[in-house]
């Protein structure tokens, strides 16, 4: 069951906790109001700061009032934040606290897990979080590097729970722990690509975060990759098989899994081989890709079907990035000032996660629907409609 809008706390309440980076003198709009107006505009399909300013200028008075906008004391006219104000705020807001506030708010909008308890003979189902990075292509120009972000996304709800910068002087590996530090991952499964298949990360996840992992293994762990590739896979039966037809292609996936003692990786108990075969609907030629992976979960803790779901579910974060790029034109954005590129990415995460939590599967259609009536965005933000 989805949460009703009146059951959700207002986003304004969470944004009000952020420190305002502006000087007090000359400040007309509260920080929470400026950010809420920007969030509402993005929920209505705004793809740029110019579009956000235009949405605010055109929004009806009752909608602006619900977002915290004040009237001019003499003329009584509504004075929404202008594009210049929104630009200054997004360029100077603390991105870490903004992402934390959005992540906490999105987590609070999700329905509770299924209440039906699993049979006593089966282990409890775990939730999974996917970690992956993304470069904002239009955010840099020589000599300034492009902004690169690392995010953690809930497999089930597709909500981005945390996001952090990856400075050009470091890499995603060094930023994984700061990304996950604020999340309670006890009982969760982390999925990641081969870049994050690091011994220190695996030990930290299991020992300190009390989480499990499902990690792809490639050449950056040569000894472990060789160990997995030389296993007698021909003797291991296929434990899970799926076939999908759509998006102009046919895809089959086969998963083999086996328990191996002495895997050359901390806490690893099972090895996986996933064989994916794809062909276009109009063709006959198959393209096959084989991937090896490891997990800290035992056979009693996770069935082959669950492992297959998590392996495939990891790519939901790529789908999320695709929506940001194609539907919300993130890579086409030339925004480069201060923290504004990351703040806009955060607002796009907020919009997509909010619409997902309300059951919208077609994000583009939902944005168009919101654009036709400015008041529709208010319940999505937990704000009482005018």
């Amino acid at each position: 069951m989805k949460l009703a809008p009146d059951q959700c706390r207002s986003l304004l309440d969470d944004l009000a906790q952020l420190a305002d980076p502006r000087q007090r003198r000359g400040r007309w709009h509260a920080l929470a109001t400026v950010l809420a107006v920007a969030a509402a505009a993005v929920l209505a399909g705004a793809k740029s700061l110019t579009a956000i300013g235009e949405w605010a200028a055109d929004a009806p008075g009752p909608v602006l009032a619900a977002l915290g906008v004040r009237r001019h004391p003499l003329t009584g006219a509504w004075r929404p934040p202008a594009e210049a104000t929104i630009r200054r705020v997004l360029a100077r807001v603390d991105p870490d606290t903004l992402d934390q506030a959005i992540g906490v708010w999105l987590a609070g909008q999700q329905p509770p897990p299924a209440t039906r308890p699993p049979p006593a003979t089966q282990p409890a189902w775990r939730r999974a979080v996917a970690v992956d990075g993304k470069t904002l292509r239009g955010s840099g120009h020589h000599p300034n590097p492009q902004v690169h972000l690392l995010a953690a996304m809930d497999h089930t709800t597709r909500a981005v729970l945390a996001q952090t910068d990856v400075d050009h002087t470091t890499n995603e590996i060094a930023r994984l722990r700061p990304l996950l530090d604020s999340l309670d991952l006890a009982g969760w499964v982390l999925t990641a690509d081969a870049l994050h298949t690091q011994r220190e990360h695996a030990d930290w996840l299991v020992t300190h975060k009390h989480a499990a992992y499902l990690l792809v293994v490639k050449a950056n762990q040569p000894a472990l990759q060789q160990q997995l590739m030389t296993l007698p896979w021909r003797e291991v039966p296929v434990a899970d098989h799926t076939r999908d037809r759509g998006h102009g292609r046919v895809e089959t996936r086969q998963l083999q899994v086996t328990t191996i003692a002495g895997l050359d990786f901390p806490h690893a108990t099972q090895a996986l081989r996933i064989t994916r075969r794809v062909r276009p609907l109009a063709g006959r030629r198959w393209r096959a890709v084989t991937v090896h992976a490891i997990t800290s979960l035992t056979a009693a803790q996770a069935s082959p079907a669950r492992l297959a779901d998590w392996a495939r579910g990891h790519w939901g974060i790529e789908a999320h990035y695709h929506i940001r790029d194609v539907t919300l034109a993130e890579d086409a954005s030339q925004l480069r000032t201060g923290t504004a590129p990351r703040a806009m990415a955060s607002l796009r995460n907020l919009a997509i996660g909010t619409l997902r939590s309300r059951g919208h599967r077609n994000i583009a259609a939902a944005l168009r629907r919101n654009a036709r009536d400015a008041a529709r965005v208010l319940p999505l933000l937990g704000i009482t409609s005018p």
Side-chain angles (χ1 to χ4, degrees):
M1 177 182 294
K2 301 296 181 184
L3 293 175
D6 59 357
Q7 292 177 290
C8 303
R9 70 179 186 275
S10 169
L11 178 66
L12 283 166
D13 297 334
D14 284 4
L15 295 180
Q17 308 304 315
L18 275 63
D20 197 324
R22 300 169 295 170
Q23 295 182 357
R24 185 176 299 275
R25 182 178 180 181
R27 188 191 306 170
W28 175 262
H29 302 284
L31 177 67
T33 295
V34 178
L35 294 175
V37 167
V42 175
L43 270 167
K47 301 177 183 178
S48 65
L49 293 182
T50 300
I52 292 175
E54 292 171 348
W55 182 90
D58 293 339
V63 173
L64 295 175
L67 293 170
V69 174
R70 298 160 53 194
R71 288 179 180 267
H72 191 283
L74 298 179
T75 66
W78 295 103
R79 292 185 59 185
E83 176 193 343
T85 300
I86 297 167
R87 186 179 297 273
R88 284 194 298 269
V89 167
L90 294 186
R92 298 172 59 187
V93 70
D94 184 338
D96 291 328
T97 57
L98 176 60
D99 272 320
Q100 184 175 6
I102 289 174
V104 169
W105 190 80
L106 282 176
Q109 308 313 299
Q110 310 307 327
T115 56
R116 185 178 65 179
T121 57
Q122 296 183 9
W125 283 29
R126 295 168 178 252
R127 297 181 70 178
V129 59
V131 171
D132 196 24
K134 183 184 188 300
T135 299
L136 308 184
R137 301 297 178 187
S139 62
H141 60 91
H142 185 77
N144 298 320
Q146 297 168 320
V147 174
H148 189 83
L149 303 175
L150 184 66
M153 187 197 77
D154 186 328
H155 276 219
T156 303
T157 65
R158 300 288 182 91
V160 173
L161 304 178
Q163 183 174 259
T164 188
D165 280 311
V166 180
D167 189 81
H168 69 281
T169 60
T170 183
N171 56 34
E172 288 186 18
I173 297 173
R175 298 299 295 165
L176 182 71
R177 291 195 190 185
L179 172 73
L180 301 178
D181 262 334
S182 63
L183 299 181
D184 181 7
L185 296 179
W188 285 58
V189 179
L190 180 133
T191 65
D193 58 22
L195 177 65
H196 295 289
T197 305
Q198 304 290 331
R199 298 172 185 276
E200 296 80 5
H201 290 345
D203 186 59
W204 177 75
L205 282 168
V206 174
T207 304
H208 295 281
K209 301 297 286 185
H210 308 291
Y213 61 76
L214 175 60
L215 302 172
V216 174
V217 177
K218 292 185 178 178
N220 62 325
Q221 293 288 339
L224 179 60
Q225 183 188 39
Q226 182 64 23
Q227 185 179 12
L228 296 183
M229 292 178 65
T230 56
L231 290 175
W233 290 109
R234 291 188 177 183
E235 301 174 12
V236 178
V238 173
D240 185 81
H241 182 278
T242 60
R243 179 184 175 91
D244 292 315
R245 181 187 177 96
H247 303 287
R249 63 185 183 181
V250 178
E251 178 182 17
T252 67
R253 295 170 65 93
Q254 294 182 345
L255 179 138
Q256 298 165 272
V257 57
T258 182
T259 300
I260 299 293
L263 278 172
D264 186 23
F265 202 79
H267 308 287
T269 59
Q270 294 192 92
L272 296 80
R273 186 169 80 162
I274 303 169
T275 304
R276 177 172 169 264
R277 300 175 71 240
V278 181
R279 71 167 176 83
L281 290 177
R284 297 183 178 180
R285 188 170 184 176
W286 291 89
R287 179 174 58 88
V289 177
T290 299
V291 176
H292 293 90
I294 52 173
T295 180
S296 60
L297 294 168
T298 66
Q301 292 174 316
S303 67
R306 290 299 291 159
L307 293 174
D309 287 344
W310 289 327
R312 186 172 187 179
H314 174 76
W315 302 111
I317 195 168
E318 294 288 349
H320 177 88
Y321 290 155
H322 181 76
I323 293 172
R324 276 172 36 183
D325 284 340
V326 175
T327 304
L328 290 168
E330 182 166 86
D331 274 356
S333 172
Q334 299 295 308
L335 189 60
R336 297 164 179 166
T337 306
T339 59
R342 176 175 169 185
M344 281 297 293
S346 303
L347 294 178
R348 294 181 186 110
N349 288 338
L350 171 65
I352 297 169
T354 300
L355 293 173
R356 292 282 191 198
S357 71
R358 300 304 192 274
H360 294 283
R361 300 187 64 182
N362 188 326
I363 301 301
L367 295 174
R368 292 193 298 270
R369 179 179 183 275
N370 292 341
R372 295 193 294 271
D373 183 352
R376 285 175 176 158
V377 301
L378 297 180
L380 297 174
L381 299 176
I383 300 173
T384 303
S385 299

